[in-house]
Amino acid sequence: MRRHAQSPSLGMIADEAGVSRAAVSMALRNHPRIPESTRLRIQKIARKLGWKPNPLLAEAMSAIRAGQPSADRVTLAWISTDDTRDGWRHSHFNLRCFAGAQQRAENAGYRLDQFWLGDADGNATRLSEILYTRGIAGIIVGPFHDRGRIAMQWDRFAAATFAHTLLSPQLHRATDNQFASARVSVARLHAVGCRRIGLALAARLDHRVADQWTAGYLLETFEEGLAHPKLLHRPPDLDEAEFIRWFKRAKPDAIVGTDKRIIEWLATAGIRVPDDVAFAGLDLADDSGEVAGIFQDASAIGASVIDLVAGQLLRHERGLPEVPRTVVIDGRWVDGATLPATKPDPEWVEKSAMLLATGGTAAANLPALYD
């Protein structure tokens, strides 16, 4: 088989395969007009000749075939599904995800534009037609406010999404390591002397991350002999009056949760943080140290979603994946003013670091802590 220092032309591949240049072009793009057996044969010959796909060129050519101007040739679509066009921007996590995705897209030669499902009157098929007509082949499905579904014409696109808010279809996704985050939070509170560590979390929010926060909390409190059913407060949504009633019944000395309003509710009830009860947030808005807890690396999560889409474009893949992949990004613990001013036990500090480093599975690495 001949080898070429440069990537072979369509004509070289066509001559080797005994087909037309048009057939080679369609085969390398996995076009359904070319029978699968023929596509695979041509692709195998192309690889032997040294052909490698160029994602920017591939997407540019897709746009050219759609008659689009050069400015739109490598556009990726960020699809939002909220009730309003900018509803997704109310979440600090979403904003950081978008910023990370936008930066990675620009670095890779793509452009990331927002599209709102409402502009298509909530009709995903119509939105699919709009994107396809504009020559857009890569889409990022932004986080849903509540878990939901979207029925795009998936065979036309390479796609990925965030966390577990998209119920169907199953796409490649990137997400925070919520399981490890919850374990780390319990371990760090344990390290500063807390023994009645409660979880106050809206079940609706936990469902968005496949209940991984609760799972991590339950495992860590069970492993350390701290588990008690009264310490778990997980209504569909948090309510101030109901929360305070739970607090007075359960009497936790520390609380793990996602809602910063908890600190305000406690203050209104005359309960001081951290003097009377410590608090660790599972989804900090910033890493200033005002609140202790986990700062999710949303920027890296957004960048990873772009990588997932770009990889599919590079491989000329379209449609729903046979084996959806999940990229898990570890968050970062931030010490803050909501923890007691107590020097933490170094063993538990070590454990919390190991939990993040091992994706929440550090118990086997630190057997001495369980003797």
Side-chain angles (χ1 to χ4, degrees), residues 32-33 53 70 74 106 135 168 177 180 182 196 198 221 261-262 310 321 359:
R33 285 182 56 186
S70 59
V74 289
E106 290 177 358
S168 69
N177 192 345
R196 292 185 58 80
T221 53
R261 294 179 303 167
I262 288 174

Side-chain angles (χ1 to χ4, degrees), residues 10-31:
L10 295 182
M12 293 176 183
I13 300 171
D15 290 344
E16 194 75 29
V19 297
S20 68
R21 295 186 182 187
V24 172
S25 176
M26 288 189 287
L28 296 181
R29 290 184 284 117
N30 284 315
H31 199 290

Side-chain angles (χ1 to χ4, degrees), residues 178-180 182-184 186-187 190 199 211-228 232 348 351 355 359-364 370:
Q178 294 93 6
F179 180 77
R183 293 198 67 185
V184 166
V186 172
H190 198 176
L199 177 70
D211 303 307
Q212 290 296 300
W213 278 322
T214 297
Y217 165 83
L218 290 174
L219 178 59
E220 187 62 21
T221 53
F222 174 79
E223 290 279 2
E224 302 311 324
L226 305 174
H228 194 291
L232 181 62
W348 294 105
K351 180 183 179 181
L355 283 168
T361 60
Y370 302 92

Side-chain angles (χ1 to χ4, degrees), residues 61-82:
M61 291 306 297
S62 294
I64 290 170
R65 284 187 290 270
Q68 300 305 308
S70 59
D72 291 332
R73 289 179 184 174
V74 289
T75 298
L76 304 178
W78 171 289
I79 297 176
S80 62
T81 57
D82 292 72

Side-chain angles (χ1 to χ4, degrees), residues 2 24 56 68 71 76 99 112 120 129 148 187 210 241 263 272 319 339:
R2 298 192 302 271
V24 172
L56 298 181
Q68 300 305 308
L76 304 178
L112 183 62
E129 292 290 347
I263 300 173
R272 300 167 301 168
L339 289 186

